[in-house]
């Protein structure tokens, strides 16, 4: 890994063993992009990559010559209006109304390690030799505006982290109206664009299409990364698949409004960018002030989409997630939400906890409804003190009782919200985000607190910290159940209203950070009506996230499969719930529900007392399995094998670092009959090791890694004929977990 700068040509080469990133100071002082991809050698000169022929109807920078047009040059951080007509990475509105800027190279510095971003989540290094960082300082002379492009290349991961920092060194205040975290001009358009789209209950479905000339994008304008789109997209070569071929992933470490966009011009150059959504955004930068963009991470893989995902998994699991829980085995939890909803007493909760303990659960989580007047959706949000009628000993008493049973205790909060029917709202009606003299829309009868204001965040912090200080709380589920409308803050002047969406997220990060700091051993799980804020920004503060409210085992295969493109298994909260399923009214086998959920941060979302004795035994076995294998499942190399979006079968597997153990999950959606003989080609094993195939504790035979990967593991089931009476039949929503152990 390293960074070379060639003084003669002005070329920079960031590299590790597998990837190269080339750029140069162009003739006009702006930064040009040359190459991102598989490692190429260090050379004296990559000048041939700067292509600028005369093209009619273009505009040219220099008088009396027709060769230097920004429209046709690949750039690093482009602006609009100085001969480039494509969508820019930045735009600054100045006092005279102009939006033209001209940022030219001033200097650069490079150093070992990686800087933290003030107030923002970011990947990090544990020692300086893990990464090299380059900072390129550019200046717009007229405006005396400075801009630093920050690049970190990791040594062991094929990833480059980027962000941009603006500093106003002049005398004039100006508005930044667009500041992407990353912009990358690629020389061709031979890509498929993969996005992760959905809605509540069906988050992160995989959608793929061929790049076309013009602009294609996904974005959020909701104040959250959202259920609907994810701040993550892939550009893959059409011939690349899960296991081979060239793939690039672009991920924004941010939880608010974002834009991910590819613009293909009519010369088939692709401009990819990702950052804060410029729609509705502006940031007023006064003299002496700085503005730091969120971080974007781009990953290059020559080993297909699994290769790309594995890089994101390692990076986000070990160098984005932080703290006490990062490397610890996550507790098996039971959450009371679907067991009781709002209808509980302390006695009922303790009974649920007692049964959970009996079956091996380690953490009991009390969800919504424990505080103030909150016995339904209409009141109490914002008043974070226990409802003493429901919980006579308060949270303190309840948490002590749960701990006395030998369980840890966890608690639900929705700290960003308020009901109108609450003490908080009555005392501070101007603390909600709303536009003066206009109607304020509700979502689930609640309003969004103005986290752009420090006094609001301070107030909430004190309230929640008090409970955490006095009770035995080991886990927090941090929910967020609506998006922002009528965005306006009473705490800021007119010229700063374009900052509020972003300031809200900064306030959210600040609250998380303060709670992480004061309570470092509490495990945080983020949540937003299920998976409405499953993004890398929050993984920095909360190493796991509730993946979706949809706990149906079949639907979950799609949701977890889609989520796995960027996010590690350890980050996906995944629970077994009751059937018929509360979201789909569908019944699936208990085994299948467990087999899907064990590929996540595992738990239950039900009252175990409602199960039969036989089912309770299945639960005990699931928990034994999870405790035995969770470390391997969370830290092993994860491979997607068969996609639920493409057929009747879904499969994925994890392989231990030393390749001596692996676990394969294999799901069949609808049963079939008199069908083909089937095999499943496994991945990531050691060709020469002999593996025992163990299913439900039974050793069913031994096969070499090379057999399992090339011939395949036999998965033929009873459906390959008419199932004989007595043979273990399969059924709809059927599943298998197969453990591979080498000798
Ligand atoms: C939405 C979450 O996704 C659920 O799990 C639950 O916590 C409810 N909110 C509680 O209101």
């Amino acid at each position: 890994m390293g960074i070379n700068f060639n003084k003669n040509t002005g070329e920079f080469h960031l590299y590790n063993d597998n990837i190269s990133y080339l750029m140069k100071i162009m003739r006009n002082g702006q930064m040009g992009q040359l190459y991102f991809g598989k490692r190429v050698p260090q050379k004296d000169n990559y000048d041939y990559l700067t292509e600028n022929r005369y093209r009619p109807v273009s505009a040219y920078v220099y008088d009396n010559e027709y060769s230097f047009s920004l429209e046709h040059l690949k750039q690093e951080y482009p602006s609009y209006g100085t001969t480039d007509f494509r969508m820019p990475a930045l735009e600054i509105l100045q006092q005279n109304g102009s939006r033209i800027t001209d940022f030219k190279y001033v200097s650069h510095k490079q150093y070992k390690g990686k800087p933290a971003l003030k107030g923002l989540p970011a990947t990090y290094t544990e020692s300086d030799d893990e990464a090299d960082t380059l900072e390129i300082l550019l200046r717009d002379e007229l405006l005396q505006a400075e801009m630093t492009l920050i690049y970190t290349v990791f040594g062991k991961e094929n990833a480059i982290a980027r962000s941009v920092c603006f500093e106003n060194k002049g005398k004039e205040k100006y508005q930044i109206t667009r500041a992407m975290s990353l912009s990358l001009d690629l020389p061709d358009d031979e890509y498929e664009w993969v996005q992760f789209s959905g809605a509540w209950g069906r988050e992160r479905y995989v959608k793929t299409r061929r790049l076309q000339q013009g602009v294609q994008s996904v974005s959020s304008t909701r104040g959250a990364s959202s259920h609907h789109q994810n701040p993550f997209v892939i550009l893959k070569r059409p011939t690349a698949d899960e296991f081979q071929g060239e793939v690039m992933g672009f991920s924004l470490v941010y939880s608010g409004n974002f834009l991910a966009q590819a613009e293909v011009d009519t010369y088939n150059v692709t401009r990819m960018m990702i950052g804060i959504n410029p729609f509705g955004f502006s940031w007023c930068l006064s003299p002496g002030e700085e503005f730091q963009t969120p971080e974007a991470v781009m990953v290059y893989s020559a080993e297909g989409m699994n290769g790309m995902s594995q890089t994101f998994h390692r990076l986000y699991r070990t160098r984005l997630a932080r703290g006490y829980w990062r490397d610890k085995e996550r507790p098996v939890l039971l959450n009371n939400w679907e067991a009781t909803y709002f209808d509980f007493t302390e006695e009922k909760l303790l009974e649920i906890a007692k049964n959970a303990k009996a079956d091996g659960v380690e953490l009991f989580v009390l969800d919504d409804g424990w505080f103030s007047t909150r016995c339904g959706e209409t009141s109490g949000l914002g008043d974070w003190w226990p409802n003493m009628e429901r919980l006579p000993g308060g949270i303190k008493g309840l948490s002590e009782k749960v701990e006395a049973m030998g369980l840890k205790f966890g608690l639900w909060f929705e700290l960003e919200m308020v009901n109108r029917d609450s003490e908080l709202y009555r005392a501070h009606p101007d603390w909600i985000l709303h536009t003066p003299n206009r109607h304020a829309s509700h979502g689930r009868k609640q309003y969004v607190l103005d986290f752009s204001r420090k006094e609001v965040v301070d107030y909430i912090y004190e309230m929640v910290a008090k409970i955490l200080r006095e009770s035995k709380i080991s886990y927090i589920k941090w929910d967020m159940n609506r998006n922002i409308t009528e965005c306006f803050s009473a705490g800021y002047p007119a010229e700063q209203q374009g900052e509020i969406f972003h300031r809200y997220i900064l306030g959210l990060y600040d609250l998380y950070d303060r709670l992480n700091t004061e309570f470092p051993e509490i495990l945080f799980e983020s949540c937003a009506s299920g998976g409405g804020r499953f993004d890398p920004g929050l993984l920095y503060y909360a190493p796991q996230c509730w993946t979706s409210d949809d706990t149906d085992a079949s639907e979950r295969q799609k949701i977890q499969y889609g989520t796995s493109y960027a996010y590690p298994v350890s980050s996906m909260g995944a629970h077994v719930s009751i059937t018929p399923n509360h979201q789909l009214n569908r019944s699936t086998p208990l085994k299948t529900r467990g087999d899907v959920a064990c590929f996540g941060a595992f738990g239950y979302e039900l009252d175990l007392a409602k199960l039969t004795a036989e089912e309770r035994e299945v639960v005990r076995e699931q928990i034994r399995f999870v405790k035995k294998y969770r470390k391997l499942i969370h830290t092993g190399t994860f491979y997607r094998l068969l996609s639920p979006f493409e057929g009747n079968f879904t499969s994925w597997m994890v392989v231990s670092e030393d390749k001596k153990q692996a676990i394969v999950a294999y799901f069949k959606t609808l049963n079939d009959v008199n069908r083909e003989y089937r095999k499943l080609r496994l991945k990531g094993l050691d060709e020469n090791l002999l593996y025992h195939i163990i299913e439900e504790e039974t050793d069913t035979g031994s096969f070499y890694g090379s057999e399992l990967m090339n011939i395949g593991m036999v998965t033929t089931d009873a459906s390959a004929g008419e199932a004989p009476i007595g043979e273990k039949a399969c059924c709809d929503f059927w599943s298998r977990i197969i453990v591979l152990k080498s000798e």
Side-chain angles (χ1 to χ4, degrees):
M1 156 197 71
I3 297 168
N4 286 328
F5 176 61
N6 183 332
K7 270 208 289 286
N8 301 324
T9 59
E11 287 175 9
F12 292 90
H13 186 179
L14 286 72
Y15 62 88
N16 66 19
D17 287 348
N18 303 308
I19 60 171
S20 282
Y21 192 87
L22 294 168
M23 56 189 158
K24 75 172 289 176
I25 306 163
M26 295 190 296
R27 201 179 139 193
N28 68 344
Q30 295 182 9
M31 292 302 300
Q33 156 61 217
L34 300 179
Y35 173 76
F36 174 48
K38 202 166 181 165
R39 175 71 198 266
V40 292
Q42 176 60 34
K43 270 181 51 172
D44 280 350
N45 193 331
Y46 274 104
D47 215 32
Y48 69 94
L49 292 175
T50 304
E51 294 163 296
N52 50 349
R53 304 231 171 159
Y54 166 70
R55 280 171 167 161
V57 201
S58 294
Y60 295 93
V61 171
Y62 296 107
D63 294 346
N64 304 323
E65 62 172 84
Y66 295 89
S67 61
F68 193 90
S69 171
L70 293 170
E71 181 179 3
H72 304 298
L73 285 162
K74 289 180 275 299
Q75 295 162 69
E76 209 42 43
Y77 202 70
S79 56
Y80 165 83
T82 58
T83 73
D84 190 353
F85 302 97
R86 292 168 290 178
M87 299 297 262
L90 89 150
E91 189 179 58
I92 294 178
L93 174 59
Q94 298 145 53
Q95 301 250 320
N96 67 358
S98 162
R99 293 168 196 256
I100 299 298
T101 53
D102 182 13
F103 281 90
K104 291 185 193 305
Y105 172 86
V106 176
S107 62
H108 72 272
K109 62 177 180 187
Q110 60 193 71
Y111 50 89
K112 297 245 146 253
K114 182 172 191 298
L117 302 186
K118 203 167 155 238
L120 284 166
T123 55
Y124 58 90
T125 51
E126 286 203 324
S127 68
D128 281 352
D129 56 8
E130 288 181 6
D132 280 319
T133 295
L134 170 67
E135 294 189 9
I136 303 176
L137 178 67
L138 301 124
R139 184 181 298 130
D140 180 291
E141 283 301 336
L142 184 66
L143 205 52
Q144 287 293 297
E146 288 193 351
M147 176 171 95
T148 304
L149 307 181
I150 308 168
Y151 301 80
T152 297
V153 58
F154 292 88
K156 293 218 177 94
E157 304 300 347
N158 298 331
I160 292 179
R162 291 178 57 176
S163 71
V164 182
C165 187
F166 293 84
E167 193 177 350
N168 187 341
K169 291 273 185 131
K171 296 202 167 56
E172 172 185 315
K173 175 158 79 172
Y174 50 78
Q175 297 267 356
I176 301 173
T177 56
R178 187 178 179 99
M180 305 310 283
S181 298
L182 166 160
S183 179
L184 177 66
D185 286 354
L186 297 162
D188 67 80
D189 69 341
E190 295 287 308
Y191 291 102
E192 284 174 344
W193 158 282
V194 188
Q195 66 189 51
F196 300 86
S197 308
W200 175 89
R202 52 178 174 86
E203 295 91 340
R204 291 170 296 287
Y205 276 23
V206 184
K207 307 270 177 203
T208 306
R209 66 184 126 126
R210 186 64 203 246
L211 271 191
Q212 299 288 344
Q213 290 185 354
V215 173
Q216 39 254 283
S217 67
V218 291
S219 63
S220 168
T221 52
R222 296 171 168 266
S225 49
S226 87
H227 300 82
H228 306 77
Q229 304 292 353
N230 199 260
F232 174 62
V233 291
I234 296 170
L235 291 184
K236 64 180 274 286
R237 295 295 186 190
T239 50
D241 58 26
E242 285 289 1
F243 310 110
Q244 61 75 40
E246 222 182 10
V247 177
M248 293 179 204
F250 300 89
S251 165
L252 187 67
V253 186
Y254 190 57
S255 311
N257 290 348
F258 73 91
L259 170 71
Q261 174 178 296
E263 177 175 5
V264 181
D265 71 14
T266 51
Y267 301 89
N268 296 342
V269 169
T270 300
R271 172 168 291 173
M272 178 66 213
M273 54 180 64
I274 194 164
I276 291 177
N277 194 343
F279 177 80
F281 167 81
S282 61
W283 193 275
C284 189
L285 206 66
S286 293
E289 286 182 351
E290 279 185 12
F291 178 75
Q292 170 67 52
T293 72
E295 174 166 293
V297 178
M298 52 189 196
V299 164
Y300 174 83
S301 162
E303 282 88 40
M305 294 205 280
N306 272 313
M308 177 215 62
S309 297
Q310 288 157 6
T311 300
F312 275 115
H313 293 171
R314 280 189 304 267
L315 193 64
Y316 284 179
R317 182 170 58 76
T318 66
R319 294 294 181 270
L320 177 65
R322 305 172 295 167
Y324 181 82
W325 282 99
R326 187 188 78 178
D327 302 326
K328 290 224 166 16
E329 292 187 21
R330 305 289 164 73
V332 173
L333 69 81
L334 184 137
N335 178 307
N336 75 306
W337 180 241
E338 288 200 7
T340 65
Y341 295 105
F342 288 109
D343 180 19
F344 59 80
T345 59
E346 182 177 273
E347 200 186 348
K348 195 162 165 185
L349 294 175
L350 289 171
E351 194 54 31
I352 293 173
K354 195 175 90 191
N355 279 300
K357 171 67 188 166
D359 288 358
V361 168
E362 297 162 307
L363 167 71
F364 172 74
V365 179
L366 173 54
D367 210 281
D368 197 353
W370 57 266
F371 50 95
S372 177
T373 56
R374 180 83 168 174
C375 296
E377 291 178 2
T378 53
S379 69
L381 271 180
D383 298 342
W384 300 105
W385 51 81
N387 178 332
M388 300 304 274
E389 272 167 43
R390 288 185 141 190
L391 309 172
I395 287 298
K396 181 173 184 307
L398 177 62
S399 64
E400 285 167 1
K401 284 178 198 156
V402 170
E403 282 236 342
M405 288 178 181
L407 283 165
K408 294 287 177 198
F409 179 74
L411 197 57
W412 179 96
F413 288 94
E414 191 176 3
L415 298 172
E416 300 150 71
M417 301 290 161
V418 67
N419 287 123
R420 278 205 162 135
D421 184 2
S422 67
E423 300 295 317
L424 177 59
Y425 182 79
R426 280 185 280 274
H428 298 287
D430 65 325
W431 277 14
I432 62 167
L433 289 168
H434 72 292
T435 303
N437 307 318
R438 294 198 184 274
H439 173 70
S441 310
H442 78 102
R444 210 192 188 201
K445 305 231 168 37
Q446 62 195 51
Y447 299 84
V448 185
L449 283 171
D450 184 355
F451 268 33
S452 71
R453 293 167 70 175
K454 187 168 178 309
E455 65 270 31
V456 178
V457 175
D458 288 348
Y459 182 90
I460 297 292
Y461 173 72
E462 279 315 324
M463 229 184 327
V464 61
K466 180 171 180 295
I467 299 180
L468 301 182
R469 284 177 201 137
E470 67 191 22
S471 314
K472 291 182 180 304
I473 296 176
S474 306
Y475 162 104
I476 287 179
K477 177 176 174 186
W478 184 318
D479 205 349
M480 192 278 289
N481 283 298
R482 65 157 290 186
N483 294 142
I484 296 173
T485 54
E486 294 91 22
C487 184
F488 184 99
S489 168
Y492 289 85
E495 65 181 8
Q496 286 189 272
Q497 291 303 322
E499 302 174 10
I500 303 309
F501 273 117
H502 182 55
R503 284 192 181 275
Y504 176 89
I505 296 295
L506 294 179
L508 168 72
Y509 290 155
D510 178 40
L511 182 57
Y512 254 114
D513 209 49
R514 285 198 244 171
L515 292 171
N516 281 170
T517 306
E518 184 174 345
F519 307 100
E521 292 186 14
I522 291 184
L523 171 60
F524 284 80
E525 176 157 344
S526 69
C527 169
S529 258
R533 226 165 38 181
F534 205 122
D535 59 62
L538 284 188
L539 285 185
Y540 184 71
Y541 307 97
Q544 57 192 61
C545 176
W546 183 224
T547 314
S548 175
D549 273 348
D550 188 344
T551 50
D552 170 76
S554 184
E555 286 301 301
R556 264 301 178 118
Q557 288 163 36
K558 290 190 196 139
I559 296 167
Q560 292 176 210
Y561 196 93
T563 304
S564 80
Y565 279 86
Y567 306 105
V569 173
S570 58
S571 68
M572 293 186 223
H575 300 172
V576 173
S577 62
I578 206 87
T579 54
N581 176 267
H582 287 193
Q583 292 76 41
L584 272 93
N585 202 23
R586 178 191 279 154
S587 290
T588 55
L590 180 54
K591 172 170 163 43
T592 307
R593 282 174 269 154
D595 288 353
V596 178
C598 73
F599 278 82
F602 183 82
Y604 291 86
E605 193 85 12
L606 49 76
D607 179 356
L608 291 167
K610 301 264 159 65
L611 303 185
T612 63
E614 207 180 317
E615 287 172 325
R616 291 286 289 271
E617 194 35 59
V618 175
V619 166
R620 289 192 191 109
E621 181 45 40
Q622 285 171 346
I623 295 177
R624 274 195 291 274
F625 177 86
V626 166
K627 288 180 179 169
K628 190 166 171 189
Y629 291 113
R630 63 187 153 191
K631 184 150 193 239
L632 166 59
I633 292 174
H634 287 180
T635 63
T637 307
F638 181 83
Y639 290 86
R640 290 175 297 272
L641 300 177
L642 298 174
S643 168
F645 298 99
E646 287 168 15
N648 198 31
F649 294 89
T650 303
S651 181
W652 54 60
M653 67 183 289
V654 286
V655 184
S656 66
E657 208 183 330
D658 63 8
K659 301 192 175 190
K660 289 188 172 152
Q661 281 195 70
I663 302 179
V664 180
Y666 183 74
F667 307 102
K668 176 153 79 170
T669 304
L670 292 183
N671 202 8
D672 45 8
V673 68
N674 199 21
R675 297 300 298 259
E676 69 273 20
Y677 299 114
R678 293 178 177 128
K679 295 186 195 68
L680 176 69
R681 285 166 73 158
L682 304 185
K683 294 285 168 188
L685 302 174
D686 183 326
E687 290 196 346
N688 301 315
L689 283 180
L690 188 66
Y691 293 91
H692 290 274
I693 307 288
I694 300 158
E695 191 165 1
E696 294 182 25
E697 310 267 325
T698 308
D699 191 335
T700 63
S702 308
F703 302 86
Y704 284 101
S706 57
E707 289 177 85
L708 295 167
M709 292 192 291
N710 296 312
I711 300 173
M713 179 175 76
V714 175
T715 53
T716 302
D717 56 50
S719 67
E722 194 183 358
I725 293 164
E727 181 173 334
K728 206 170 175 192
C730 38
C731 57
D732 290 350
F733 312 115
W734 184 65
S735 77
R736 296 168 69 180
I737 291 281
I738 299 125
V739 177
L740 275 66
K741 282 192 174 158
S742 72
E743 294 195 315

